[in-house]
Amino acid sequence: QVQLVESGGGLVQAGGSLRLSCAASGRSIFSINPKGWYRQAAGQQRELVAIITSGGSTDYANSVKGRFTASRDNAKNTLYLQMNSLKPEDTAVYYCSGGIPPVWGPGTQVTVAS
């Protein structure tokens, strides 16, 4: 089975940036569709952040449009989430996911301080 591991989380000040990575193993990322990023804030439900379809198109939650960019590197078998202009409301554990049924990584913590 494919395994996914997120990295790149940390503590940043409001207005700062982070780039999250999701390394896949066991299968080519090209064959895992759809692919996406989710987040879960403390006490909240997990919510969709970004989706990458099999055709390579992307879609984003309204709360992150214009600030976050999802991408993939098939050669490196890795997904990325570039997060700019971070807000305290972005604080959450971020997860990558792929396939049907979906496979989840263990998550990486992002904390945005004022």
Side-chain angles (χ1 to χ4, degrees):
Q1 294 184 8
V2 64
Q3 295 189 163
L4 305 173
V5 179
E6 303 92 342
S7 63
L11 173 64
V12 297
Q13 299 297 311
S17 298
L18 283 174
R19 188 180 75 161
L20 306 183
S21 298
C22 173
S25 60
R27 290 180 60 190
S28 170
I29 198 71
F30 178 80
S31 68
I32 304 172
N33 296 290
K35 299 175 276 286
W37 289 92
Y38 290 73
R39 67 186 182 187
Q40 187 169 19
Q44 303 295 317
Q45 292 182 304
R46 190 172 299 186
E47 65 176 349
L48 175 68
V49 175
I51 285 288
I52 304 173
T53 70
S54 60
S57 63
T58 56
D59 197 11
Y60 301 90
N62 288 335
S63 59
V64 306
K65 284 182 178 178
R67 300 189 297 119
F68 290 11
T69 303
S71 62
R72 63 185 176 188
D73 188 327
N74 291 332
K76 296 181 179 179
N77 221 31
T78 299
L79 306 177
Y80 300 98
L81 184 67
Q82 179 67 46
M83 306 185 295
N84 299 324
S85 301
L86 283 162
K87 305 174 181 179
E89 303 94 284
D90 296 319
T91 295
V93 177
Y94 283 72
Y95 302 87
C96 62
S97 179
I100 299 174
V103 174
W104 300 91
T108 185
Q109 176 72 48
V110 172
T111 303
V112 184
S114 299

